[in-house]
Amino acid sequence: MATVTLIISAGIAAYKALELTRLLRKEGHRVVPVMTKSAGHFVTPLSLEAIAEHPVYDSLFAAGQESQIGHIQLARQSDLIVIAPASAQILAQYALGLAEDLPSTMLLANTAPVLVAPAMNHRMWQAEATQKTIATLRGRGVAFVGPNIGDMACGEHGIGRMAEPEEIADAASHILGLKDTSLSGKRILVTGGPTCEPIDPVRYIANRSSGKQASAIVRGLVACGAEVIFVHGPISELSVSGAECHGVQTAQEMLDAVMAQQNIDVFIAAAAVADWRVAPRAQKVKKGAALTLEMIENPDILLSVTQSVFRPPLVIGFAAETDSSLDHAQAKLRRKGCDWLLLNEISAQNPAFGAEENHLILLAQQGDKVAVTDWGRGSKDALAQRLCAEITGFFA
Ligand code: C5P
């Protein structure tokens, strides 16, 4: 049993702290709720106390509370501090080391791991000030879960929704060592799915990628405790949780979303990026005459990453080939400057696109040699787990 101190700051998502408390207790943890002054506008201390079966602390200066258990003691007894929801305010206080109220004072005195589940309007999340705060906290080893993309209480849509209680409880368990933590502390960026390149306002060019292999990789990495950022094109059934997901349409949008990420340990380019886009047309093309499309080459995202100054220590590309593929794959591994390349040979036996199974061959650059290992055929999830094990081995 671990002691999890749950800091609840002000935000509409505070009501989810009740469910989070229930889940943490179900996992056998003792939950000590600590609220900011304004959090009481969104969730009542009484409900929290009832579900946690533990007193709620909310004041640095309430004589009873400070004598019963002081802020230093609260920090000292914690195996993990979870801040959920974490408002822009509490994150900024934490980054600056301000000790203004009970939660911020406790955080300053704390040496236990901290898990943060941010929740705020997407403009606030994307604000330069918030992003600098996040970078500072990440640099100090603070773990993040979410925020997710979705509809917000303010009626807008975007990134900033608090991760679901299940995701937060899962991330808490990883940190507490109850689950596989082989990749915890690693920030892994994955691209997946197709890209869609518009021809005109209603038509587009795309490809057959379902995003299933990339989604399986994301699930595998999350299960190993990695912090995963998934930049994906249009995927009909997105079945991942616990990852920061960015949905995009075009190759250019995918490139922008990828290049916006920082401090990445592993980049996995599993997306089937359209090689060309169509010169933009403002009006719908009329039927009746033969249509000629002017194609413009798209940026190569994988190459942009390997050539960037932020090149992650491990870069993994994919190659889908239909002919004498090993030679092509070796050439691609070198040309793209990646460390590993996963080859799937597209054939009648291995349709790969849209299927539940795949056949992968790993090509790993080792000095000026390339080691080739055939992983054989298997479910996309099993192959993803093999990849996670190889990545774990790389960092071991
Ligand atoms: O050149 P090709 O498309 O065969 O390369 C495949 C690899 O390169 C995959 O890892 C794919 O995700 C990546 N790629 C990319 N950007 C492109 C084209 C491919 O990241 N524009």
Side-chain angles (χ1 to χ4, degrees):
M1 182 184 83
T3 295
V4 179
T5 302
L6 175 59
I7 297 180
I8 300 138
S9 69
I12 200 80
Y15 76 93
K16 291 189 185 172
L18 296 173
E19 176 62 3
L20 176 59
T21 303
R22 194 187 66 78
L23 291 172
L24 290 169
R25 297 225 48 216
K26 205 169 127 207
E27 297 231 354
H29 306 309
R30 172 174 169 244
V31 179
V32 181
V34 173
M35 298 172 76
T36 63
K37 272 276 170 266
S38 316
H41 293 298
F42 300 93
V43 63
T44 70
L46 199 60
S47 326
L48 267 169
E49 184 163 334
I51 292 181
E53 291 186 76
H54 196 283
V56 175
Y57 302 103
D58 59 6
S59 174
L60 192 54
F61 303 110
Q65 286 187 16
E66 193 60 17
S67 62
Q68 192 188 20
I69 182 166
H71 58 279
I72 302 292
Q73 179 60 17
L74 267 175
R76 205 186 292 144
Q77 70 170 14
S78 307
D79 296 302
L80 171 69
I81 294 184
V82 178
I83 316 178
S87 63
Q89 162 81 10
I90 195 165
L91 292 178
Q93 279 178 326
Y94 184 22
L96 288 172
L98 299 180
E100 289 176 329
D101 55 5
L102 179 61
S104 56
T105 310
M106 226 185 70
L107 283 167
L108 197 57
N110 169 59
T111 52
V114 177
L115 172 67
V116 168
M120 64 194 77
N121 170 275
H122 65 106
R123 293 170 213 272
M124 292 170 72
W125 172 254
Q126 280 159 343
E128 194 185 342
T130 308
Q131 288 304 310
K132 283 201 167 138
T133 295
I134 304 304
T136 303
L137 293 177
R138 278 206 169 109
R140 286 189 209 146
V142 171
F144 281 76
V145 52
N148 294 343
I149 296 173
D151 293 332
M152 316 204 141
C154 55
E156 294 188 3
H157 182 91
I159 183 165
R161 265 178 77 94
M162 187 173 87
E164 293 306 318
E166 292 78 12
E167 295 173 56
I168 304 171
D170 235 41
S173 294
H174 277 301
I175 295 173
L176 289 165
L178 303 177
K179 294 214 175 136
D180 186 349
T181 53
S182 48
L183 288 173
S184 67
K186 297 283 175 270
R187 252 167 83 71
I188 305 186
L189 175 60
V190 182
T191 64
T195 64
C196 274
E197 310 296 330
I199 295 172
D200 64 20
V202 295
R203 303 182 182 93
Y204 61 82
I205 293 177
N207 59 61
R208 294 182 190 281
S209 169
S210 62
K212 283 184 182 168
Q213 183 64 77
S215 302
I217 292 170
V218 169
R219 284 193 297 274
L221 294 168
V222 169
C224 291
E227 191 185 329
V228 186
I229 300 134
F230 187 28
V231 178
H232 61 84
I235 293 178
S236 54
E237 292 162 41
L238 186 63
S239 55
V240 299
S241 71
E244 182 184 315
C245 293
H246 298 263
V248 298
Q249 293 287 326
T250 65
Q252 185 60 52
E253 286 170 12
M254 187 171 274
L255 176 72
D256 294 343
V258 163
M259 297 314 266
Q261 303 302 325
Q262 285 165 6
N263 303 323
I264 299 297
D265 298 293
V266 185
F267 175 56
I268 304 175
V273 184
D275 292 313
W276 298 277
R277 66 181 177 278
V278 182
R281 292 171 194 247
Q283 301 300 325
K284 185 180 167 193
V285 181
K286 297 275 184 282
K287 280 189 284 190
L291 175 63
T292 306
L293 297 177
E294 188 194 336
M295 309 295 279
I296 304 166
E297 198 165 356
N298 265 332
D300 190 310
I301 301 166
L302 178 52
L303 197 62
S304 307
V305 170
T306 57
Q307 291 181 341
S308 79
V309 284
F310 307 107
R311 187 196 194 281
L314 180 59
V315 177
I316 305 166
F318 271 75
E321 303 285 352
T322 50
D323 51 1
S324 62
S325 31
L326 256 184
D327 291 346
H328 282 148
Q330 293 214 16
K332 191 166 289 183
L333 174 73
R334 258 189 300 276
R335 194 172 65 247
K336 302 244 179 184
C338 38
D339 303 294
W340 300 349
L341 190 100
L342 283 160
L343 165 66
N344 44 20
E345 290 174 291
I346 310 294
S347 62
Q349 292 75 40
N350 190 47
F353 287 121
E356 298 305 321
E357 291 200 333
N358 202 359
H359 179 172
L360 290 177
I361 299 168
L362 172 70
L363 286 83
Q365 189 73 51
Q366 291 175 350
D368 42 6
K369 294 215 172 68
V370 175
V372 179
T373 318
D374 190 340
W375 289 357
R377 211 176 152 67
S379 73
K380 288 183 173 173
D381 276 306
L383 291 165
Q385 278 159 25
R386 173 86 193 248
L387 176 61
C388 293
E390 297 284 340
I391 296 172
T392 304
F394 175 86
F395 287 106

